[in-house]
Each structure stands twice: as structure tokens, then as C-alpha cells.
């Protein structure tokens, strides 16, 4: 589920809102640090379903050749 929040500010200094949003961003990044977001396909859309802790590739049970090919492919995609 997603929550929506509205913020009203009556003032001339936008730095107050920037500070608030920076603080919110830091809090969010701290919550998702070392996590991987899992997505599910629903009605022609990919939607985030849950977060899981990251794990080392050595814990993935797969033959060495397939694992290397998968890691190489992911690295190439991310670069």
C-alpha cells in the first residue's frame, strides 16, 4: 500500500521544505539500505511487493558457469 501526504507551507524561505525533504530522503534511504526490492507483475504493470535483505552471491545455489554468466550479464546491464 502507498500513503499520500500533503504539505502546506506559508513562508518565503524554500530551504525549510528542502531540509524536511532531505530528512525524509535520508530516513527512507536508511530503511532500504542493504535491501533488494522484489517486484510482481500485476495487470500489465510491475509493482513493488516487498523488500528483502541483500545476500552474498556465494549463497546462491547455481553451477559456476551459470552464476558467472548471470553476474556478468547483470554487471553489463547496470553499467
Amino acid at each position: 500500500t502507498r500513503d499520500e501526504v500533503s504539505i502546506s507551507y506559508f513562508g518565503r524561505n524554500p530551504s525549510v521544505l528542502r531540509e524536511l525533504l532531505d530528512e525524509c530522503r535520508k530516513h527512507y534511504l536508511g530503511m532500504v539500505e542493504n535491501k533488494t526490492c522484489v517486484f510482481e507483475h500485476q495487470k500489465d504493470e510491475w509493482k513493488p511487493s516487498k523488500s528483502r535483505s541483500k545476500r552474498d552471491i556465494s549463497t546462491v545455489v547455481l553451477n559456476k558457469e551459470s552464476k558467472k554468466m548471470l553476474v556478468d550479464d547483470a554487471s553489463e546491464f547496470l553499467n
Side-chain angles (χ1 to χ4, degrees):
T1 63
R2 292 182 79 146
D3 294 329
E4 188 172 314
V5 175
S6 295
I7 300 171
S8 296
Y9 171 69
F10 301 100
R12 295 176 184 241
N13 186 352
S15 67
V16 173
L17 290 176
R18 279 194 203 105
E19 287 178 27
L20 173 63
L21 294 175
D22 283 344
E23 187 70 27
C24 292
R25 183 175 185 272
K26 287 177 188 174
H27 178 72
Y28 171 76
L29 291 174
M31 288 176 27
V32 298
E33 187 176 20
N34 293 319
K35 302 268 186 199
T36 298
C37 189
V38 179
F39 288 80
E40 293 179 356
H41 190 255
Q42 299 173 359
K43 298 181 183 177
D44 297 329
E45 290 184 272
W46 286 98
K47 296 187 178 188
S49 65
K50 57 185 129 181
S51 293
R52 294 190 177 199
S53 296
K54 289 182 182 178
R55 58 188 245 206
D56 191 78
I57 192 70
S58 65
T59 65
V60 177
V61 179
L62 200 59
N63 70 53
K64 288 182 182 182
E65 294 163 358
S66 297
K67 190 185 291 190
K68 182 178 178 345
M69 187 174 71
L70 181 63
V71 169
D72 290 348
D73 190 43
S75 295
E76 182 180 338
F77 174 78
L78 293 172
N79 288 329

